[in-house]
Amino acid sequence: MKVTLLFSKYITDPTGASAVMKYLIEGKSIFNSNGVSISYLTRDDLYPKKKSNVYSSGKTRLYGLKAIVFNFIERYSRTNSICAILHRYIRSGRAAKAIVKKYLSLPSNDDILFLHEIETCYYYLKYRKANSNLKIVLVSHSSGDLYGTTKIDYPCLGKGLFKRYFDKRESLVLSNIDKLGFVSESSMNYFNNKYCDFPIEKLFFSLNGIPDIKVEKRTIKKAQYNICCVATVNERKGQRFIIDAMIRLPKDIINKIQVNIIGDGEIKEELYCLCKEKGIDSNITFWGSRNDVPQLLAENDIFILPSIDEGLPISVMEAMRQALPIVSTRVGGIPEMIEDGVTGIFIEPSPDGVKSFFLSIDKYDWAEMGKKSRLLFENKFSISKMVKIYSDIFHQLV
């Protein structure tokens, strides 16, 4: 059986979906042992990165007029529909279209096309030959809403003409795919409840998996509790909630904690300036995008991710792998990653939710929770389990 995985982003981008693609590529031998010959075509193959023109976050540097125009589009992309559409196309749509056209230009005897983005799937369906018999497996790394991330990143696109624009694309995709997967059972169930007419036999889920490494625990005692958050710094991931909560903490509590925010993103500078303005900058460090995340995790006691929307975050798995207890929200697949009160705790995705965690921080045995978090990782989140499920789905179709 021959399968090709298309992915329109760089596998080295600091996102969970890119990390999963990297692990699926590294798992090629496991696919082979399951009777699947798999090939890969990603943005790395179309546009190899040049160190001289790429930020640590993976963004390409722009100069002159291009930079001015793009910065204008980016600035108004959350409030102006035209800017939002342009920003989204520049960031993702353009590459998705290019990767599909490249694939269609190559000789192929594939049985299955394996996709992890609705945009890439849409462009394939738009440009494929009418008589194509290729089976399509789409996996959504979302909370169950296929365009959920788009609606959060670009609030102005969630209504009116532009909502109908995305609804039409979604309808084309759902009418033509052979299997639709999610990275958690919760996400699959959410989709099934929202889209009652979609055939349930086409749905499946596969928990993500990551390689098992363990870095020796190193605690740098800046405070009684070292707390880290690893994620793209944006509104969806909830770092603003952490800052807003810290601003409102009594001095005796804030003196106990040191928060480390690891990652880059569009609101990082804004949050950094807010911390300086409110006088809490000595209790919070912005590390930016890093290549040594496992080592940084090993220097912390607790992991926090107060997201308002998720699929199955890789950063939580990485923290579990390092035996950290998890403080997070009941969104997407996160409830499948935490045993409340055993391996971590749930909070509301809000400043009050984060503040309640800080105020009750002394009541938990975090070290014991971390040990159980590690055991849960070992039992649920391996690459071999993930690849086996995908392989079984492929065999069902051919």
Side-chain angles (χ1 to χ4, degrees):
M1 176 190 305
K2 292 186 178 297
V3 176
T4 291
L5 184 154
L6 297 188
F7 188 62
S8 70
K9 298 178 175 61
Y10 291 111
I11 64 169
T12 54
D13 281 353
T15 66
S18 290
V20 173
M21 297 310 105
K22 177 175 178 286
Y23 300 139
L24 287 173
I25 290 172
E26 291 174 355
K28 185 170 185 175
S29 61
I30 308 175
F31 275 114
N32 288 338
S33 67
N34 283 286
V36 176
S37 174
I38 189 164
S39 302
Y40 309 89
L41 184 60
T42 73
R43 189 184 295 201
D44 303 78
D45 299 305
L46 259 65
Y47 313 113
K49 283 186 178 181
K50 297 178 181 178
K51 291 184 179 179
S52 61
N53 69 343
V54 175
Y55 294 108
S56 60
S57 62
K59 298 178 184 178
T60 303
R61 288 190 188 276
L62 299 173
Y63 300 95
L65 182 59
K66 283 186 178 180
I68 294 170
V69 171
F70 182 77
N71 288 338
F72 176 87
I73 291 171
E74 186 169 53
R75 181 178 179 182
Y76 293 102
S77 61
R78 290 181 61 82
T79 55
N80 180 278
S81 298
I82 301 300
C83 287
I85 289 289
L86 289 172
H87 189 265
R88 189 174 180 278
Y89 180 74
I90 293 168
R91 279 289 170 81
S92 58
R94 181 171 52 177
K97 182 190 292 188
I99 207 100
V100 164
K101 290 194 170 183
K102 177 67 175 179
Y103 173 75
L104 292 173
S105 72
L106 299 172
S108 171
N109 58 350
D110 286 335
D111 300 299
I112 292 171
L113 195 60
F114 190 26
L115 304 166
H116 288 257
E117 312 149 283
I118 188 171
E119 202 74 354
T120 304
C121 188
Y122 166 77
Y123 281 115
Y124 171 73
L125 294 170
K126 181 178 179 179
Y127 292 116
R128 69 174 176 173
K129 294 179 181 178
N131 61 349
S132 173
N133 293 318
L134 196 61
K135 301 292 186 181
I136 303 170
V137 176
L138 171 63
V139 178
S140 175
H141 295 250
S142 72
S143 61
D145 185 341
L146 300 188
Y147 276 112
T149 300
T150 296
K151 294 170 186 174
I152 293 170
D153 292 343
Y154 307 101
C156 56
L157 297 181
K159 54 189 176 182
L161 176 65
F162 292 99
K163 181 181 183 302
R164 292 195 292 274
Y165 168 81
F166 287 113
D167 287 347
K168 185 176 180 181
R169 287 176 168 230
E170 186 177 79
S171 178
L172 175 67
V173 168
L174 294 179
S175 300
N176 287 277
I177 56 178
D178 298 282
K179 284 285 187 178
L180 175 60
F182 293 90
V183 292
S184 72
E185 186 175 14
S186 304
S187 300
M188 182 186 73
N189 290 338
Y190 177 91
F191 175 89
N192 188 41
N193 291 331
K194 184 177 180 181
Y195 298 85
C196 303
D197 294 336
F198 189 82
I200 194 169
E201 64 273 13
K202 288 187 176 184
L203 294 176
F204 73 96
F205 77 93
S206 172
L207 298 176
N208 290 330
I210 63 175
D212 187 8
I213 62 171
K214 195 173 182 183
V215 178
E216 184 179 349
K217 185 75 175 173
R218 305 195 311 264
T219 300
I220 309 301
K221 281 297 179 185
K222 292 181 181 178
Q224 187 174 342
Y225 299 102
N226 293 303
I227 304 163
C228 64
C229 175
V230 181
T232 302
V233 185
N234 59 26
E235 303 294 355
R236 186 166 66 92
K237 296 292 185 177
Q239 292 93 343
R240 188 185 296 279
F241 301 148
I242 299 173
I243 309 303
D244 288 346
M246 291 177 70
I247 290 169
R248 297 158 50 194
L249 287 178
K251 197 168 185 62
D252 63 317
I253 300 295
I254 202 167
N255 286 341
K256 293 180 180 182
I257 63 175
Q258 179 70 33
V259 175
N260 299 294
I261 292 184
I262 303 165
D264 209 347
E266 60 263 27
I267 65 171
K268 189 187 83 170
E269 291 303 317
E270 178 190 344
L271 295 184
Y272 173 77
C273 292
L274 181 61
C275 290
K276 294 274 286 184
E277 177 190 335
K278 298 297 183 179
I280 60 170
D281 50 306
S282 61
N283 294 91
I284 186 161
T285 302
F286 290 85
W287 292 84
S289 187
R290 301 281 296 216
N291 295 320
D292 58 346
V293 170
Q295 289 74 25
L296 291 173
L297 286 170
E299 296 173 2
N300 284 271
D301 306 301
I302 302 168
F303 181 87
I304 184 170
L305 187 69
S307 298
I308 62 175
D309 180 79
E310 284 290 353
L312 196 77
I314 294 295
S315 61
V316 171
M317 281 182 217
E318 292 174 336
M320 294 171 68
R321 184 175 64 185
Q322 282 307 120
L324 291 184
I326 310 300
V327 177
S328 195
T329 54
R330 296 180 187 273
V331 299
I334 293 177
E336 294 164 57
M337 309 177 83
I338 301 173
E339 293 181 15
D340 194 23
V342 178
T343 69
I345 63 171
F346 289 111
I347 60 172
E348 291 300 313
S350 67
D352 284 340
V354 178
K355 184 182 177 184
S356 69
F357 151 62
F358 286 139
L359 291 176
S360 62
I361 198 166
D362 287 331
K363 69 180 280 191
Y364 298 101
D365 185 343
W366 297 108
E368 183 62 24
M369 281 186 173
K371 291 176 185 177
K372 292 175 180 176
S373 182
R374 166 71 194 180
L375 289 174
L376 186 59
F377 164 77
E378 292 173 356
N379 291 332
K380 291 186 75 170
F381 301 110
S382 71
I383 290 179
S384 59
K385 286 181 180 179
M386 173 177 64
V387 170
K388 177 66 164 58
I389 291 172
Y390 286 135
S391 299
D392 289 345
I393 292 297
F394 298 154
H395 284 296
Q396 290 174 19
L397 292 175
V398 178

